[in-house]
Amino acid sequence: MIRFSVLSLFVLLLMGCSFNGIMSESYDGKKITADEEAVELYEEENLLKTEGLESRYAFLNSDTVFEGLRDGGTEITLSPGHYVIGEDVEPGRYSAATEEASAIVVYDENGDRLLETALNYFNTNAVLELQEGYRVEYVTRRGPIDLIPSEEKYDSMIPAGIHTVGEHLEAGTYSLLTKELPVRRLNSEDEVYMNPGGMGSVSLSSTDVEIDTELSIKVELHEGDTIVSEHPVVLEKD
């Protein structure tokens, strides 16, 4: 007998099914069956089954091997347009910040989209590890943005972007306080942690936000893992 729970329904929704109102026993004339593997993965490890989520998490489409860039790069101002890393922009780890409505899209060496993050009042900063052959697209109607080489380390509030665990973020067990944590493991396995009770970008932008540590899930980050997140992430190390 198939058992549906709130968590199971949540997983099914994320896996591509959509429902209006109360969940019925059939959808479009076809009986609904749960993906038992996805349900078990979520209920036991707070992980989503990544198959079928490629449109939601762009990095799942890419075969790139993250090099874990720790520094390097030269400050540069980007106007709206496309830039090739190694030709227009030096490879390196950069910070980009603005409150103006804009977006930064990062493509890998094969032209596959890795990351697309919107910068605005609710998400003002992104940190990008830009490797040789990558391409960056900057989209806005509000003027240029500066890419500034960054060696900053993080232990709690992590900006949107690409972050390799080790140099700028310690490996270990963490409590995830925001909604999701997409990770490419060192062995190239992709995982997405999901915390339905976590905070979103709008909540994080508030100056008087109160963080409820009870609404967290445990996540494991290992040396060489790479976080690829379009939203800021809040972690608390055990």
Side-chain angles (χ1 to χ4, degrees):
M1 180 175 134
I2 295 175
R3 177 174 60 89
F4 281 99
S5 66
V6 173
L7 294 180
S8 303
L9 175 57
F10 184 76
V11 172
L12 290 173
L13 289 170
L14 288 170
M15 292 305 295
C17 297
S18 60
F19 303 92
N20 293 316
I22 299 175
M23 180 178 173
S24 63
E25 296 181 355
S26 64
Y27 178 73
D28 199 22
K30 297 181 180 180
K31 187 175 181 180
I32 295 171
T33 57
D35 184 328
E36 295 291 350
E37 181 185 352
V39 171
E40 182 179 355
L41 186 64
Y42 182 76
E43 293 190 332
E44 293 185 0
E45 301 183 54
N46 296 300
L47 289 170
L48 299 182
K49 184 178 178 181
T50 55
E51 181 182 351
L53 295 182
E54 291 83 1
S55 61
R56 173 64 186 86
Y57 301 99
F59 80 103
L60 298 177
N61 296 291
S62 172
D63 295 326
T64 194
V65 176
F66 292 110
E67 299 173 356
L69 298 179
R70 300 179 175 183
D71 50 28
T74 301
E75 182 173 345
I76 186 172
T77 299
L78 301 185
S79 298
H82 294 258
Y83 301 85
V84 177
I85 309 305
E87 297 179 12
D88 307 309
V89 179
E90 288 189 17
R93 185 172 185 263
Y94 292 91
S95 174
T98 181
E99 291 187 2
E100 301 290 351
S102 57
I104 292 179
V105 188
V106 180
Y107 301 87
D108 69 10
E109 63 275 19
N110 296 315
D112 293 320
R113 186 163 53 95
L114 279 175
L115 174 75
E116 180 174 346
T117 184
L119 296 176
N120 48 46
Y121 175 78
F122 302 112
N123 179 29
T124 61
N125 186 31
V127 172
L128 308 170
E129 296 178 7
L130 300 178
Q131 299 175 192
E132 182 92 21
Y134 280 14
R135 180 166 55 89
V136 171
E137 179 183 8
Y138 178 53
V139 182
T140 188
R141 295 182 178 179
R142 300 295 183 91
I145 192 171
D146 294 328
L147 290 186
I148 300 174
S150 174
E151 298 183 7
E152 186 173 354
K153 296 184 178 182
Y154 300 98
D155 57 9
S156 179
M157 180 78 75
I158 303 170
I162 302 171
H163 308 266
T164 299
V165 178
E167 179 69 16
H168 301 95
L169 175 67
E170 290 184 5
T173 302
Y174 288 84
S175 294
L176 174 64
L177 299 166
T178 38
K179 290 188 177 298
E180 59 187 8
L181 182 66
V183 180
R184 173 157 293 174
R185 301 297 188 182
L186 182 59
N187 64 2
S188 297
E189 181 181 355
D190 295 324
E191 294 184 334
V192 179
Y193 288 98
M194 178 57 63
N195 176 15
M199 298 177 294
S201 298
V202 175
S203 299
L204 290 175
S205 67
S206 174
T207 56
D208 58 353
V209 61
E210 294 185 7
I211 297 177
D212 187 350
T213 56
E214 293 185 1
L215 298 176
S216 65
I217 62 172
K218 295 297 182 182
V219 302
E220 293 287 340
L221 293 174
H222 310 286
E223 186 92 13
D225 291 348
T226 302
I227 296 171
V228 187
S229 179
E230 64 185 63
H231 304 294
V233 174
V234 178
L235 297 169
E236 186 175 88
K237 199 170 190 297
D238 287 3

